[in-house]
Amino acid sequence: MSCNWLVSKLCRPGFASLQLTRLSGRRPSQLCRSISLMPVGSSSRVVSVELKERDLFINWNDSSSVDLPYVFLRDNCQEPVSFDQSAKQRLFNPAFTVDLSIKAKEVDVKEDGRQLVITWPDGHQSRFESAWLARYCRGKSSLSGRLAVEPYYWGSDYCDKMPRFDFNKLMTEEDSLLEYLLKLESHGLVLVESVGTESRQMKKLCDRIAFPKPTVYGFDVMKVESKPNPSHIAYSGVELPLHNDFVYYDYTSGIQLLHFIHQLPGPTAGASRFCDGINVAQELRTRNPAAFDMLSQYPIQFVDVGTDYIGDYDTESWHFPISVDKNGDVTGVAYSNHSRGPHFPSLLMDKLHDWYAAYYEFSHLMNSRDYLIEFKVQPGQMVVFNNVRVLHGRSEFKMTGNDYRYAELCYMDWDEIRSKARVLAKKLSHIY
Amino acid sequence: NPAFTVDLNIQAKQAHTSEDGQQLCLTWPDGHRSRFSSFWLVEHSEGRKEASRLPVEQRLWKSDYYNSMARFDFETLMIDDGSLLEFIMHLDSCGLVLVENVGTAVKEVRRLCERISFPRPSVYGHDVIKVEATPNPSNLAYTGLGLPLHTDVPYYGYVPGIQIFHCIQQPPGTGGMSHFCDGFSVASKLRDTNPAAFHMLSQYAIQYVDAGKDFLDFSMESWHTPIKLNRLGEITAIYFNNDVRGSHYPASLNGRLLEWYEAYYAFSHLMYAPEFLIEFKLEPGQMVAFDNQRVLHGRSGFVLEDGHYRYLEVAYLDWDETRSKARVLKAKINADSNVEQ
């Protein structure tokens, strides 16, 4: 497997030293830090090697050096007999064919340091481009499949800064589509305009990327309109507090699309509300580390029971209200007061008052003036957002006369969004 | 929203128990009253195990499981709710079940998925995935090669939870045998016999990647610890696939790569031990359903002679919908038989 676009991004002479713009005073992303540690470039050349007992010692032309275990090199041999060129998959199981104490018999530096040829005891030869070695010889700090874009955290002044896209361009121009996918990753909330008011337009955009995510609520596009007997409070006119959808799913839907077709008159009735949950969580960590710990160390229960398109459903999941990865970065939030289940983890039972205090503080913060945005999505517009980062809600409304509020809704998952972005970036040789 | 309406320091003004002790009534300062049944109070006063699994005992198994493996009749599954509930409970408890008398019509896996909820789409197909040898394969599964024990598509963040194979055509002879092992069972043994290896595989996330063209053009990447533990140290998933293991490793393993490979080899070898590996030939008309985040599967290689074919159909489900279905069935069956809850 080789992602040429990423190699070409890294191919600048010497070490990549990125000036990290600190947006909203937040910590720079881990990925940018890791790039600065790697020797980069098509100019990477091997000056010399030394065959040690268990490692190959490589001296680079920039004076850095590295020890690479032979086991690793044999495991990652890129020759067709070891690595299927069509399926892009490893063809053998090293645990059954490679001795842990394997040592290279001979290593030749070729092509002025741009290639290494390793001859193994059984006669097999592996060729490695120095660019490949430079890329893989030190581990990565950023351990996720997220797209390598700097996150942009936002607050109450986001409306003017929200990226906007034209639906027709998204449907016909691949660089527009790639930009859309990258902004979804970095910003978490974007607006798509000129969608029109035809039903099921969002499905076209989802199919262009991959497919809508089917769930117990619907196979693809769902309707949000007032109903006489609501099976879910989203269908009535009450205020919907800020929340994430699908917190009662282990596989919480990653992206939500909301396309407005009919909207109520007036400046505020049925307006949409959002906040950047990760930004709020980071602020909470600064203000009240104990509350942050409460919400990031104990998962809580979410449930939803009802009937919809596939019949009855009874879903349950447990999530940390604030998710933190091994590097200490906040990676997501799970918040939905109306889906929060009645059960708590056993270990939390004697700390419930502290838990509620933390929960209340988080709730107040996300609704505060610094973080909450509110605007009316007009007919023909579509909001698209990261459902594990951005919380959404709605102001209350009363319907009279011929008023009608109708939107369509569907979901996608991040695996498919990120996959499409990578495919497009490679196709367009896009460096971002 | 209590965060906006309930004072953290709220105190009940009055508490009143019914005569039979079955109900508690609390009166709040604003006059509002809440009634709680004693059943509810007991249910909720101790906290819960924090998992969405069904309330069934997890049963780890070894190579003698084949003889006692749960078997279900396909048509009964399709029409009888009790059978379907038992099927899902077994899948949650043991992770591997057999379905018989499926016949050899195509798309039967889809029928079973739709009986539960719907097939989970992936880059390999919207519903049914055809497994047969093809030229220019997008995946090694579409060749005649043997496949080492693995879990499917760990390069997904949201790895498909359940996989169902339907054997439609199978060549005679000893090629194309199916292999399975209980990853939880193997990992538990590793924890006991080689804690250093267990630590390596449960603390360091590794890269899984795959790129190609199938149902969709795709370029997937995800990082998982091969053995996933929850907060309490319990094994909750296995993500293991040598073919799509990426060449990037975590920076925290710099200088310790050889140690990592030792752990990886130890785990790989243990899976194939006679203690854990089961091997059998799937017959046309049989389906096997398994937990793709627990049970590893593989196959022995095969060579197709003229006139012989090997054709399987595969579909995925996710646990969210599958467990939801089980809960709904349980409630329905309980209600139907008038059992007091």
Side-chain angles (χ1 to χ4, degrees):
Chain A
M1 175 218 80
S2 74
C3 283
N4 295 320
W5 63 264
L6 185 53
V7 172
S8 58
K9 176 195 178 183
L10 296 174
C11 283
R12 298 198 295 270
F15 287 88
S17 58
L18 299 173
Q19 284 302 111
L20 303 164
T21 32
R22 293 181 64 90
L23 298 156
S24 312
R26 295 299 161 209
R27 292 161 60 197
S29 82
Q30 294 289 336
L31 178 68
C32 295
R33 278 213 279 275
S34 75
I35 289 173
S36 70
L37 290 173
M38 287 168 62
V40 296
S42 54
S43 61
S44 292
R45 284 185 295 113
V46 177
V47 168
S48 63
V49 296
E50 189 190 316
L51 275 70
K52 291 168 133 179
E53 195 51 40
R54 303 190 322 171
D55 303 294
L56 181 68
F57 180 76
I58 298 173
N59 257 316
W60 294 102
N61 58 321
D62 64 2
S63 307
S64 71
S65 61
V66 71
D67 272 312
L68 265 187
Y70 297 117
V71 169
F72 170 84
L73 289 163
R74 184 66 188 88
D75 179 38
N76 288 290
C77 175
Q78 300 289 299
E79 302 299 326
V81 47
S82 307
F83 189 78
D84 189 283
Q85 309 292 305
S86 170
K88 304 262 191 291
Q89 293 174 343
R90 194 179 279 102
L91 273 170
F92 69 106
N93 190 340
F96 288 88
T97 46
V98 180
D99 187 345
L100 268 167
S101 57
I102 192 174
K103 191 177 161 167
K105 204 165 111 183
E106 203 178 296
V107 179
D108 295 307
V109 179
K110 295 224 151 132
E111 311 220 354
D112 198 29
R114 287 195 184 81
Q115 200 182 77
L116 282 188
V117 180
I118 302 180
T119 308
W120 301 103
D122 65 352
H124 176 75
Q125 278 193 334
S126 305
R127 277 165 310 168
F128 291 96
E129 301 298 315
S130 54
W132 189 98
L133 285 168
R135 189 166 170 236
Y136 289 100
C137 69
R138 290 203 179 85
K140 261 189 154 193
S141 300
S142 160
L143 313 181
S144 86
R146 284 198 287 281
L147 300 171
V149 285
E150 179 76 9
Y152 179 90
Y153 300 116
W154 46 267
S156 52
D157 61 348
Y158 186 59
C159 285
D160 296 331
K161 303 176 181 170
M162 187 168 5
R164 291 168 184 245
F165 295 90
D166 178 87
F167 182 76
N168 301 299
K169 281 214 176 116
L170 289 180
M171 292 303 297
T172 54
E173 291 172 22
E174 286 187 325
D175 44 14
S176 177
L177 185 64
L178 176 57
E179 190 61 28
Y180 163 82
L181 298 170
L182 296 176
K183 287 289 191 289
L184 264 179
E185 180 80 80
S186 60
H187 290 54
L189 172 62
V190 305
L191 194 65
V192 181
E193 314 199 91
S194 309
V195 186
T197 50
E198 216 181 283
S199 186
R200 298 176 69 77
Q201 285 289 80
M202 56 185 26
K203 177 144 189 333
K204 295 179 186 167
L205 184 56
C206 292
D207 286 347
R208 177 140 162 81
I209 296 166
F211 41 75
K213 175 185 170 114
T215 71
V216 294
Y217 298 105
F219 195 67
D220 46 33
V221 178
M222 286 152 276
K223 302 173 195 230
V224 185
E225 60 179 343
S226 56
K227 270 188 186 177
N229 284 312
S231 71
H232 196 281
I233 68 173
Y235 300 133
S236 64
V238 302
E239 177 198 341
L240 264 188
L242 288 174
H243 66 285
N244 304 107
D245 279 1
F246 281 102
V247 285
Y248 31 80
Y249 256 42
D250 289 351
Y251 285 176
T252 304
S253 301
I255 305 278
Q256 182 172 162
L257 297 89
L258 196 56
H259 169 210
F260 277 80
I261 291 175
H262 290 278
Q263 184 56 288
L264 299 172
T268 55
S272 300
R273 293 175 176 161
F274 301 94
C275 82
D276 182 348
I278 292 184
N279 200 16
V280 176
Q282 288 169 336
E283 176 63 23
L284 184 70
R285 174 154 56 186
T286 308
R287 286 191 190 196
N288 191 342
F292 180 88
D293 286 346
M294 264 291 163
L295 299 176
S296 60
Q297 286 172 14
Y298 297 94
I300 56 164
Q301 186 197 38
F302 294 98
V303 291
D304 197 22
V305 179
T307 304
D308 216 308
Y309 115 98
I310 61 163
D312 296 340
Y313 57 83
D314 185 340
T315 58
E316 173 180 348
S317 192
W318 291 69
H319 292 284
F320 297 97
I322 299 174
S323 289
V324 178
D325 70 13
K326 286 218 157 156
N327 291 330
D329 293 325
V330 178
T331 52
V333 295
Y335 184 98
S336 173
N337 204 54
H338 56 266
S339 312
R340 196 162 42 84
H343 285 107
F344 282 96
S346 311
L347 292 174
L348 201 48
M349 291 306 285
D350 60 348
K351 303 180 187 59
L352 277 185
H353 193 270
D354 290 342
W355 185 86
Y356 273 103
Y359 184 77
Y360 281 19
E361 186 162 347
F362 191 37
S363 307
H364 287 213
L365 195 55
M366 61 177 65
N367 283 281
S368 69
R369 284 176 39 174
D370 288 338
Y371 294 100
L372 182 67
I373 64 171
E374 179 172 317
F375 61 96
K376 275 188 86 149
V377 184
Q378 297 303 326
Q381 288 186 326
M382 181 161 72
V383 281
V384 186
F385 55 94
N386 180 346
N387 182 57
V388 297
R389 166 179 169 185
V390 170
L391 293 94
H392 66 286
R394 188 191 68 203
S395 64
E396 82 171 42
F397 58 89
K398 289 182 173 43
M399 305 199 358
T400 56
N402 295 320
D403 290 347
Y404 183 43
R405 189 177 188 271
Y406 176 67
E408 290 184 343
L409 157 71
C410 77
Y411 301 94
M412 289 190 72
D413 272 328
W414 275 106
D415 288 313
E416 285 80 20
I417 300 272
R418 289 168 178 145
S419 173
K420 183 68 173 182
R422 287 183 205 108
V423 165
L424 284 175
K426 182 172 181 184
K427 187 175 176 195
L428 304 174
S429 302
H430 181 110
I431 298 166
Y432 60 80
Chain B
N1 188 339
F4 289 89
T5 47
V6 180
D7 183 353
L8 264 169
N9 299 311
I10 192 170
Q11 254 190 25
K13 213 164 98 176
Q14 207 177 77
H16 176 81
T17 324
S18 63
E19 258 183 45
D20 59 3
Q22 292 292 332
Q23 214 175 74
L24 175 71
C25 181
L26 293 177
T27 308
W28 300 105
D30 64 351
H32 179 78
R33 282 199 190 145
S34 305
R35 274 170 306 172
F36 296 94
S37 74
S38 53
F39 178 80
W40 190 98
L41 288 168
V42 167
E43 259 271 293
H44 292 84
S45 60
E46 286 203 339
R48 263 258 204 120
K49 203 165 148 65
E50 46 204 72
S52 50
R53 303 194 73 94
L54 297 173
V56 281
E57 195 197 317
Q58 190 178 81
R59 294 198 334 242
L60 303 189
W61 48 265
K62 298 189 178 186
S63 52
D64 57 350
Y65 179 63
Y66 181 67
N67 299 323
S68 56
M69 182 162 44
R71 290 161 191 254
F72 292 84
D73 175 79
F74 184 68
E75 283 310 321
T76 309
L77 270 187
M78 292 303 293
I79 55 178
D80 185 272
D81 283 353
S83 178
L84 185 65
L85 175 60
E86 226 187 290
F87 171 80
I88 300 173
M89 304 276 266
H90 262 107
L91 211 44
D92 203 330
S93 158
C94 302
L96 179 64
V97 299
L98 209 56
V99 182
E100 313 206 273
N101 309 317
V102 187
T104 52
V106 295
K107 303 211 193 275
E108 295 288 68
V109 279
R110 189 169 79 185
R111 275 184 69 205
L112 182 54
C113 290
E114 285 169 352
R115 171 90 167 108
I116 293 169
S117 56
F118 43 76
R120 141 102 191 242
S122 75
V123 297
Y124 291 108
H126 210 269
D127 43 34
V128 176
I129 300 165
K130 302 178 188 196
V131 182
E132 55 190 340
T134 55
N136 297 321
S138 64
N139 191 291
L140 294 180
Y142 307 140
T143 64
L145 294 170
L147 294 176
L149 286 171
H150 66 283
T151 58
D152 264 16
V153 302
Y155 45 77
Y156 265 90
Y158 283 178
V159 175
I162 295 167
Q163 184 169 176
I164 309 177
F165 289 168
H166 174 202
C167 179
I168 290 175
Q169 282 173 312
Q170 183 74 282
T174 52
M177 300 278 275
S178 295
H179 299 152
F180 295 96
C181 77
D182 181 352
F184 285 12
S185 209
V186 179
S188 297
K189 175 104 190 226
L190 190 75
R191 175 186 247 160
D192 291 338
T193 57
N194 193 340
F198 184 87
H199 176 85
M200 271 289 168
L201 298 174
S202 60
Q203 296 305 314
Y204 295 93
I206 57 166
Q207 187 196 36
Y208 287 109
V209 284
D210 199 11
K213 287 182 196 313
D214 200 294
F215 170 65
L216 293 175
D217 283 3
F218 60 93
S219 178
M220 292 263 174
E221 175 178 355
S222 202
W223 290 68
H224 293 289
T225 51
I227 299 173
K228 185 175 174 195
L229 304 180
N230 66 10
R231 223 166 52 85
L232 309 170
E234 296 163 331
I235 299 166
T236 54
I238 304 291
Y239 299 117
F240 187 97
N241 188 327
N242 195 56
D243 300 345
V244 295
R245 186 166 44 83
S247 301
H248 275 305
Y249 58 89
S252 46
L253 279 182
N254 274 327
R256 302 181 70 190
L257 255 194
L258 199 55
E259 234 180 289
W260 185 85
Y261 273 99
E262 282 170 0
Y264 186 78
Y265 280 23
F267 193 37
S268 305
H269 290 185
L270 194 55
M271 291 175 193
Y272 279 93
E275 186 185 352
F276 294 110
L277 182 68
I278 62 178
E279 184 178 34
F280 62 94
K281 189 111 184 227
L282 261 183
E283 297 302 323
Q286 280 188 325
M287 260 186 197
V288 62
F290 55 95
D291 182 339
N292 184 53
Q293 296 179 86
R294 167 179 170 183
V295 168
L296 294 97
H297 65 286
R299 69 163 189 233
S300 61
F302 56 93
V303 173
L304 291 176
E305 322 247 319
D306 278 340
H308 287 136
Y309 302 95
R310 189 174 191 271
Y311 182 61
L312 275 69
E313 288 188 340
V314 173
Y316 296 123
L317 284 164
D318 271 329
W319 277 110
D320 288 309
E321 288 88 9
T322 305
R323 289 182 176 126
S324 167
K325 182 69 173 182
R327 290 183 201 106
V328 164
L329 287 172
K330 184 138 200 264
K332 181 160 182 270
I333 288 168
N334 284 346
D336 286 350
S337 58
N338 288 317
V339 172
E340 280 220 309
Q341 298 197 44

